[in-house]
Amino acid sequence: MSDLDNDEYETFGFEQPAGPEKVPARVVPDVDPDLDDDDDDDDDDLEDAADDEIDFVIAAYREDGQALVQALSKDLANDLDELIVQLRRLPGDAGAIGYVSLVEEVFVIVRVRGRHVQVLLSDGGAAADWPIARDVADLLEAEIPDPDDDPEPMGDLGLLSDLGLSDFDLGAIIDNLDLSSDQMLIEVAEKLKIGPQFRRVVEAAFNS
């Protein structure tokens, strides 16, 4: 799916962090988008998610004090490194946040601030099935859970805590099995007080 036109951007107003950043983050070097990935064997056994398996890829960022929500290309749902590259290119005053939902079952949140990257995968077991989920496990240097284990998130549950969504509340959203992954991300957006705007971009993605 192509990027939204400028008139389809939505604004919201989350608060800026009140004090020094205390959220743990990974430091990830710049990634060359033209880098040949032929030597990367990690995902050789995983097929890319098809277009109809990708619910949406959305970015949220702040430019000149105004926050924006934008749909990104669905292709980014298969490559965490490239998603990070694209988030870095956005003119965010304090970085950008990416939201990916797959088959209404799995989501990934990526927060990029310069070279600092925080990631959250809603179900660590998805790393056995989806390339971007495997990328999250590789970035975190985490073992892929046994498929028979109960679903558990992988990554930083506190990556949005300075924006008003605590690790406890984010964990509670993930634990609500009555919600699909796209609905979980909408709930996240509601907690960040961007629900109506985020919902419009999600609806546009599902209707495209």
Side-chain angles (χ1 to χ4, degrees), residues 1-197:
M1 180 177 65
S2 61
D3 292 353
L4 291 181
D5 295 332
N6 289 337
D7 60 355
E8 294 180 285
Y9 284 22
E10 297 292 346
T11 63
F12 62 90
F14 30 76
E15 306 254 325
Q16 292 297 313
E21 176 57 47
K22 297 181 180 180
V23 179
R26 302 283 293 182
V27 176
V28 178
D30 293 334
V31 181
D32 184 349
D34 298 320
L35 187 64
D36 187 352
D37 292 327
D38 289 344
D39 293 334
D40 186 358
D41 297 328
D42 288 342
D43 297 335
D44 284 352
D45 56 338
L46 298 179
E47 293 186 5
D48 282 353
D51 187 78
D52 61 356
E53 295 175 315
I54 301 167
D55 303 323
F56 55 76
V57 182
I58 292 174
Y61 61 101
R62 181 178 290 275
E63 182 180 9
D64 296 330
Q66 182 181 24
L68 302 168
V69 177
Q70 175 185 347
L72 300 179
S73 170
K74 283 188 174 183
D75 292 343
L76 298 175
N78 286 311
D79 190 337
L80 179 63
D81 284 345
E82 183 61 21
L83 177 57
I84 291 170
V85 167
Q86 296 305 320
L87 291 173
R88 279 199 180 118
R89 287 177 174 172
L90 294 173
D93 300 336
I97 303 170
Y99 303 86
V100 178
S101 177
L102 298 170
V103 294
E104 302 182 24
E105 294 180 0
V106 179
F107 76 68
V108 174
I109 299 176
V110 185
R111 188 172 184 186
V112 179
R113 286 172 283 183
R115 296 182 62 198
H116 295 275
V117 176
Q118 293 164 278
V119 292
L120 177 67
L121 173 63
S122 61
D123 177 7
D129 299 316
W130 304 103
I132 194 169
R134 177 71 59 84
D135 289 345
V136 169
D138 290 344
L139 178 66
L140 297 172
E141 299 178 353
E143 293 186 6
I144 299 173
D146 189 292
D148 295 329
D149 291 347
D150 291 335
E152 291 287 343
M154 176 186 290
D156 186 359
L157 282 169
L159 81 171
L160 301 175
S161 60
D162 61 314
L163 300 178
L165 181 58
S166 70
D167 53 352
F168 177 83
D169 288 337
L170 183 50
I173 291 172
I174 293 173
D175 288 341
N176 187 350
L177 301 181
D178 291 333
L179 298 177
S180 58
S181 58
D182 57 301
Q183 291 171 331
M184 289 180 184
L185 290 179
I186 290 173
E187 188 71 15
V188 168
E190 294 285 354
K191 296 292 186 180
L192 297 177
K193 304 186 186 306
I194 62 171
Q197 301 92 340

